[in-house]
Amino acid sequence: MAVSGTVRVRIAPSPTGFAHLGTASTSLYNVLFARQNSGVFVLRIDDTDMERNRPEYEALIYESLHWLDLDWDEGPDKGGPHQPYRQSERVDLYKEHAARLLKEGNAYRCYCTPEELEAERRQAQAEKRPYKYSRRCLTNPPEGRSVFAVRFKVPGGEVTFTDMVRGEMRFDADLIGDFIIVKSDGYPTYQFASPVDDALMRITHVIRGEEHLSNTPYQLMLVDALGYERPHAYAHMPLILAADGSKLSKRKHPEANLILFRDRGYLPEALLNYLALLGWNPGTAQEIFSFDELRQAFSFERVQHAGARFDWEKLNWINGEYIRRLSDDELALRLKDFVPPLVDEETLRRAVPALKTRLPTLAQAVEYLDYLQTDPTPQAFDAETAQRIRLAIDFLKPVRWEPEAIEAALEEAIAQSGVSKGKFYNPLRDALTGRKVALPIHYAFALLPKEEALKRLERAA
RNA sequence: GGCCCGUUCGUCUAGUGGACCAGGACGCCGGCCUUUCAAGCCGGAGAUCACGGGUUCGAAUCCCGUACGGGCUACCA
């Protein structure tokens, strides 16, 4: 889609909990579109919910987005031509705009209490009539009350706009009741602050989750009433669903926490790749995309219209693909924070080639390496087995302590013992690692100091 | 309740009226390789295209209805 003027997009997460998958996904699509068009990506903190906001959640948003390498051009921490970028610091702006709407007769004060509104709503439901605010405070406001909210006087009519994913959208605004734009605590509602900021910050394309599709006519009417230019287009992206098909929520799905993905050993570029494929497809068989490839291939026309379930299995596969494509040095670097604390860098570096094809996630490395610092409980072997272990010790003793030499020595020992490889190796692996699954035996040996390895064998023999 | 968006293998999806008795990927099953586990290679099972009506010579694809799922309808965002 050709666009004149500088493209400006934004995300507006609210710091009411950890940064989650949906934020990452929406950010990705915004960044992709911005970079495709040499545009500007804005981060705005939507902290107008005084009850639930927490500064530490804002920090978590930065941390998560940085981890994913989704960098913004303007934001609270970076500044920019339209600062401040925290909505709690823009309250005066919203008040000015509300005052203007009030003065021009496009909004009015509402003194109704929550209880009264609830009663109205229930009444409508009882009469099986679609609910719209009664406009009591427009026509016949109660006397002697001082606490008020501000309501937008919905003009009605038809609201149409372009959605880059779904095409032309059309809503009947006569069905929309007058809604609140300023809460009685003086803070704006999302429905108000968002379009005001989008206009003031010159946002050209609003790319967000599908849950906002029905909100769009509300916001557009506001933009029109304020005399601002509307964004060129919207894009409402399909929702990420949990395994049971419900929408991913912070409360019900703590596993959607982005920081958790980092801590579980997912590579940020792999997560992004997976997220891109969840809701979009290239129309080709390609599954693995670098960020640059995504930038080139992505388009809203190929975005899915239905929500997609999050699938850990496929993420694990993509993550493994990325791990296998890393250079040994790079993988060693990334593994550093995940291996047992006693495993030194040199040992890790030597383990990497064997580890590489075995890791769906970085965190899985522990399972292959913890024998290095955890002494396995000694096994009881029968006399014949013990004898073969002694044979292994004899062959191992004179050997240079590295995988190839160890393997060669072991092969000779096997030839002399006359048993199969499996029969010979299994007890060795047990004695050495105490595990049924381990790295190839010659690596398992080589990673452990020679004396320690032989000590474990001798103890078993 | 009203409005909006959806519905193709378990999951993510290709498919825009004939090349589709529906293709790919993950997962699953089997084989090869192999000391274990992976990786890799080869093969396989798996979808009455939500359902019912139309339109058409012909429909997963177009139209209508129904069902189901999701979203919005909050002084949450």
Side-chain angles (χ1 to χ4, degrees):
Chain A
M1 181 170 290
V3 176
S4 59
T6 304
V7 163
R8 293 178 57 82
V9 299
R10 51 64 165 182
I11 58 161
S14 60
T16 55
F18 56 78
H20 66 300
L21 228 38
T23 306
S25 161
T26 308
S27 302
L28 204 218
Y29 297 125
N30 271 280
V31 171
L32 251 18
F33 186 68
R35 301 299 168 242
Q36 278 180 340
N37 294 284
S38 315
V40 176
F41 174 47
V42 177
L43 171 62
R44 187 171 73 216
I45 296 294
D46 192 344
D47 55 348
T48 54
D49 185 344
M50 299 320 281
E51 310 258 298
R52 297 190 297 152
N53 289 330
R54 286 278 142 66
E56 58 267 33
Y57 292 144
E58 185 179 319
L60 236 32
I61 291 171
Y62 296 146
E63 193 180 342
S64 302
L65 259 21
H66 277 137
W67 172 63
L68 287 166
D69 203 23
L70 295 172
D71 278 322
W72 49 98
D73 306 303
E74 299 171 19
D77 58 331
K78 283 211 162 135
H82 303 282
Q83 57 186 343
Y85 290 91
R86 220 172 339 244
Q87 291 189 322
S88 61
E89 294 166 13
R90 301 170 63 83
V91 184
D92 289 347
L93 241 26
Y94 310 126
K95 285 190 172 149
E96 281 168 33
H97 283 79
R100 217 171 91 208
L101 290 171
L102 243 15
K103 189 169 144 239
E104 292 164 0
N106 289 322
Y108 57 94
R109 292 193 167 87
C110 177
Y111 297 90
C112 294
T113 64
E115 295 72 35
E116 289 169 336
L117 294 170
E118 182 53 33
E120 266 194 13
R121 228 172 276 128
R122 252 204 285 274
Q123 176 80 12
Q125 201 167 31
E127 294 169 19
K128 292 197 185 301
R129 163 171 61 78
Y131 175 70
K132 266 171 82 174
Y133 175 60
S134 65
R135 286 195 163 170
R136 173 177 77 148
C137 291
L138 176 65
T139 52
N140 180 29
E143 299 283 318
R145 294 190 188 178
S146 56
V147 177
F148 65 87
V150 179
R151 266 184 204 276
F152 179 60
K153 199 171 116 197
V154 171
E158 196 172 64
V159 181
T160 61
F161 61 92
T162 303
D163 189 286
M164 294 187 282
V165 176
R166 284 158 226 271
E168 294 307 304
M169 299 301 304
R170 189 176 295 272
F171 286 85
D172 182 357
D174 291 335
L175 267 17
I176 298 174
D178 294 348
F179 55 94
I180 288 177
I181 56 175
V182 180
K183 300 178 256 186
S184 51
D185 65 3
Y187 277 83
T189 58
Y190 164 79
Q191 219 64 299
F192 185 47
S194 182
V196 166
D197 284 342
D198 288 345
L200 259 24
M201 294 179 176
R202 301 262 184 279
I203 299 303
T204 57
H205 300 260
V206 177
I207 302 161
R208 60 199 343 182
E210 198 204 305
E211 72 260 38
H212 294 297
L213 188 56
S214 309
N215 288 329
T216 308
Y218 292 68
Q219 299 169 188
L220 247 16
M221 286 190 286
L222 241 10
V223 171
D224 293 348
L226 287 165
Y228 287 128
E229 206 178 313
R230 283 148 73 132
H232 295 331
Y234 288 80
H236 289 97
M237 309 301 293
L239 262 21
I240 299 174
L241 273 21
D244 64 359
S246 67
K247 184 191 165 192
L248 267 193
S249 74
K250 293 182 195 178
R251 202 169 253 198
K252 268 179 61 193
H253 306 281
E255 71 275 19
N257 185 344
L258 288 175
I259 292 298
L260 232 47
F261 284 83
R262 183 192 64 189
D263 295 347
R264 288 179 178 180
Y266 289 97
L267 305 185
E269 56 271 52
L271 213 214
L272 251 22
N273 192 148
Y274 177 65
L275 252 18
L277 255 25
L278 203 61
W280 167 84
N281 80 80
T284 66
Q286 188 174 354
E287 302 271 346
I288 304 299
F289 288 85
S290 67
F291 184 86
D292 210 53
E293 287 174 315
L294 277 182
R295 205 200 73 230
Q296 287 176 39
F298 180 80
S299 82
F300 287 106
E301 280 113 69
R302 297 202 66 91
V303 167
Q304 218 56 39
H305 295 193
R309 293 174 206 233
F310 190 85
D311 181 9
W312 288 93
E313 296 291 349
K314 180 126 186 194
L315 205 219
N316 285 340
W317 172 74
I318 289 185
N319 204 53
E321 283 291 304
Y322 272 81
I323 286 175
R324 271 166 248 136
R325 288 165 194 226
L326 253 27
S327 72
D328 289 359
D329 287 346
E330 179 65 21
L331 181 52
L333 203 65
R334 303 238 199 172
L335 240 17
K336 245 159 106 178
D337 294 333
F338 290 91
V339 297
L342 265 42
V343 176
D344 60 90
E345 275 183 49
E346 172 57 17
T347 305
L348 175 57
R349 212 188 48 73
R350 285 189 293 136
V352 155
L355 240 23
K356 206 176 214 172
T357 58
R358 281 164 247 264
L359 300 179
T361 66
L362 298 174
Q364 306 265 316
V366 191
E367 287 169 33
Y368 287 103
L369 298 182
D370 74 351
Y371 79 99
L372 293 173
Q373 60 172 38
T374 309
D375 218 358
T377 33
Q379 310 272 321
F381 295 111
D382 59 62
E384 226 174 284
T385 307
Q387 195 181 338
R388 284 199 297 273
I389 293 175
R390 278 193 293 275
L391 184 65
I393 295 172
D394 291 342
F395 274 85
L396 250 15
K397 261 187 180 153
V399 133
R400 193 157 54 85
W401 209 240
E402 46 96 16
E404 293 76 12
I406 292 170
E407 187 174 24
L410 254 17
E411 296 286 334
E412 280 182 56
I414 289 166
Q416 188 167 325
S417 76
V419 297
S420 71
K421 265 189 180 186
K423 196 156 186 186
F424 193 87
Y425 279 150
N426 285 334
L428 291 184
R429 185 172 45 245
D430 283 352
L432 198 64
T433 69
R435 284 177 169 272
K436 283 214 144 19
V437 174
L439 294 179
I441 196 81
H442 46 293
Y443 273 94
F445 271 113
L447 293 175
L448 207 56
K450 190 171 184 176
E451 324 79 71
E452 173 64 18
L454 292 179
K455 194 190 91 193
R456 289 186 188 181
L457 290 194
E458 262 151 25
R459 193 176 49 193

